Amino acid sequence: MAQSTLRIGLLYPEVLGTYGDGGNTLVLAQRARWRGIDAEIVRIGLDEPIPLELDIYHLGGGEDAAQTHAGEQLRRNPQFLQLVGSGRPLLAICAGLQVLGQWYVDAEHNKVEGVGLLDCYTMPQGVRTIGEIVSEPLLTGLTGRLTGFENHGGATRLGSQAQPFARVAYGHGNGVADGELNDTASAEAALASAQLYDGVVQNGIVATYMHGPVLARNPEFADWLLARALGVEPEALDPLGAEPDIDALRAQRFRAVGL
């Protein structure tokens, strides 16, 4: 494909960088460069206006206070919210997912307003999810299993305007969001019996609970996002050939959970 320049926006890394999710931007940039495409990562600080000319944005995970600050700052950038709501690609991880929803309940049981880009809400699940997650993608164009690491106590329920990102094969993902699950025993029973899903897809946003960084573990997903950012179909990207190190990492992660 013809050369282009990819500009990747890393939003609020000083507060939403707890779990190393900013590594997803490094993966996108490197996979572009391997194809001869110039790539630049633009770090956008909490007190800085969000540039509107970037090709794709990233919002990572963080703690409750950081999540609240990020939401407050996003609301001060209405043009950016309109841009993403109309289809500009954005990858959101964990806390990033929650803050983009309608509302969420934090660990202190405070109901916090989200920015409303995703038709979902998040409330306490009754048990904290920490560990590996494997899922089957539901996005057209993705075929391989997804692997990641989740660490959250919230459970997210989707409304009619949103779609799940993936069907969980191992782990909890979005979990079970139900006000009756107010103790560990009922929450664990519900999680064990339910068909679980991970993440939210709406307009240009793909959100997931998978850390990892998720794109380092899932090159097909990385290239899917890269194609979206460049405005082409994934098939238009130049093939990279064999990636034995990544294949070995994925195989090891699947073996670790018996899949």
Side-chain angles (χ1 to χ4, degrees):
M1 60 179 295
Q3 284 196 359
S4 181
T5 300
L6 177 71
R7 301 194 70 199
I8 306 163
L10 177 57
L11 292 163
Y12 310 151
E14 69 270 47
V15 293
L16 294 181
T18 307
Y19 302 107
D21 297 310
N24 290 314
T25 63
L26 297 175
V27 172
L28 280 175
Q30 188 58 52
R31 295 186 74 81
R33 291 169 186 147
W34 282 338
R35 293 176 164 95
I37 301 168
D38 291 334
E40 176 187 4
I41 298 171
V42 180
R43 295 171 63 91
I44 303 156
L46 196 63
D47 297 322
E48 298 174 0
I50 302 174
L52 304 180
E53 68 275 12
L54 307 186
D55 300 299
I56 187 168
Y57 298 85
H58 182 277
L59 199 60
E63 307 303 329
D64 284 353
Q67 192 174 343
T68 300
H69 290 318
E72 291 169 351
Q73 292 304 110
L74 285 171
R75 281 190 287 274
R76 293 174 183 169
N77 289 269
Q79 288 181 302
F80 169 73
L81 297 181
Q82 183 178 18
L83 178 75
V84 174
S86 65
R88 187 69 57 87
L90 183 150
L91 172 63
I93 310 294
C94 199
L97 180 162
Q98 294 179 8
V99 80
L100 293 179
Q102 303 299 316
W103 54 267
Y104 62 92
V105 176
D106 66 18
E108 302 300 320
H109 305 290
N110 300 306
K111 185 176 180 180
V112 183
E113 181 184 1
V115 300
L117 286 178
L118 294 175
D119 185 17
C120 66
Y121 63 85
T122 302
M123 59 194 304
Q125 185 170 251
V127 62
R128 189 165 189 85
T129 292
I130 304 176
E132 292 292 309
I133 174 173
V134 175
S135 61
E136 305 285 348
L138 298 174
L139 276 180
T140 301
L142 294 181
T143 59
R145 276 180 168 172
L146 300 161
T147 168
F149 186 89
E150 56 183 345
N151 182 359
H152 59 96
T156 297
R157 176 169 288 174
L158 277 57
S160 61
Q161 301 303 307
Q163 301 296 322
F165 171 49
R167 182 181 296 106
V168 173
Y170 182 94
H172 292 166
N174 294 348
V176 179
D178 191 321
E180 298 302 315
L181 301 185
N182 52 14
D183 63 82
T184 300
S186 61
E188 289 180 342
L191 287 166
S193 63
Q195 170 60 70
L196 302 174
Y197 295 87
D198 173 63
V200 189
V201 177
Q202 188 172 349
N203 298 322
I205 301 170
V206 180
T208 173
Y209 277 107
M210 289 188 290
H211 302 287
V214 63
L215 298 187
R217 291 188 178 209
N218 301 283
E220 183 188 39
F221 181 29
D223 284 349
W224 188 94
L225 285 170
L226 179 59
R228 288 287 307 279
L230 294 171
V232 301
E233 294 298 321
E235 296 78 13
L237 296 177
D238 293 337
L240 294 180
E243 297 181 292
D245 291 343
I246 298 177
D247 291 343
L249 169 65
R250 286 172 55 79
Q252 194 278 334
R253 291 293 81 203
F254 293 141
R255 286 196 303 271
V257 297
L259 295 175

PDB file of all heavy atoms in Angstrom, residues 21 32 101 153 212 242:
ATOM      1  N   ASP A  21      -1.038   0.078  29.574  1.00  0.00           N
ATOM      2  CA  ASP A  21      -1.828   0.000  28.343  1.00  0.00           C
ATOM      3  C   ASP A  21      -1.302   0.917  27.245  1.00  0.00           C
ATOM      4  O   ASP A  21      -1.595   0.704  26.066  1.00  0.00           O
ATOM      5  CB  ASP A  21      -3.295   0.342  28.636  1.00  0.00           C
ATOM      6  CG  ASP A  21      -3.933  -0.653  29.586  1.00  0.00           C
ATOM      7  OD1 ASP A  21      -3.818  -1.862  29.326  1.00  0.00           O
ATOM      8  OD2 ASP A  21      -4.527  -0.223  30.585  1.00  0.00           O
ATOM      9  N   ALA A  32       3.030  -0.236  11.979  1.00  0.00           N
ATOM     10  CA  ALA A  32       2.979   0.680  10.838  1.00  0.00           C
ATOM     11  C   ALA A  32       4.376   0.849  10.238  1.00  0.00           C
ATOM     12  O   ALA A  32       4.560   0.752   9.014  1.00  0.00           O
ATOM     13  CB  ALA A  32       2.407   2.021  11.271  1.00  0.00           C
ATOM     14  N   GLY A 101     -18.768   5.300  29.181  1.00  0.00           N
ATOM     15  CA  GLY A 101     -20.164   4.888  29.284  1.00  0.00           C
ATOM     16  C   GLY A 101     -21.060   5.970  29.849  1.00  0.00           C
ATOM     17  O   GLY A 101     -20.670   7.130  30.005  1.00  0.00           O
ATOM     18  N   GLY A 153     -13.092  -4.662  39.383  1.00  0.00           N
ATOM     19  CA  GLY A 153     -14.174  -5.088  40.258  1.00  0.00           C
ATOM     20  C   GLY A 153     -15.534  -4.707  39.734  1.00  0.00           C
ATOM     21  O   GLY A 153     -16.555  -5.012  40.356  1.00  0.00           O
ATOM     22  N   GLY A 212      -2.529  -6.140  28.870  1.00  0.00           N
ATOM     23  CA  GLY A 212      -1.619  -7.115  28.278  1.00  0.00           C
ATOM     24  C   GLY A 212      -0.220  -6.605  27.951  1.00  0.00           C
ATOM     25  O   GLY A 212       0.734  -7.269  28.319  1.00  0.00           O
ATOM     26  N   ALA A 242       5.918 -14.313   8.993  1.00  0.00           N
ATOM     27  CA  ALA A 242       5.850 -15.078  10.241  1.00  0.00           C
ATOM     28  C   ALA A 242       6.271 -14.212  11.425  1.00  0.00           C
ATOM     29  O   ALA A 242       7.168 -13.369  11.319  1.00  0.00           O
ATOM     30  CB  ALA A 242       6.737 -16.311  10.145  1.00  0.00           C
TER      31      ALA A 242
END
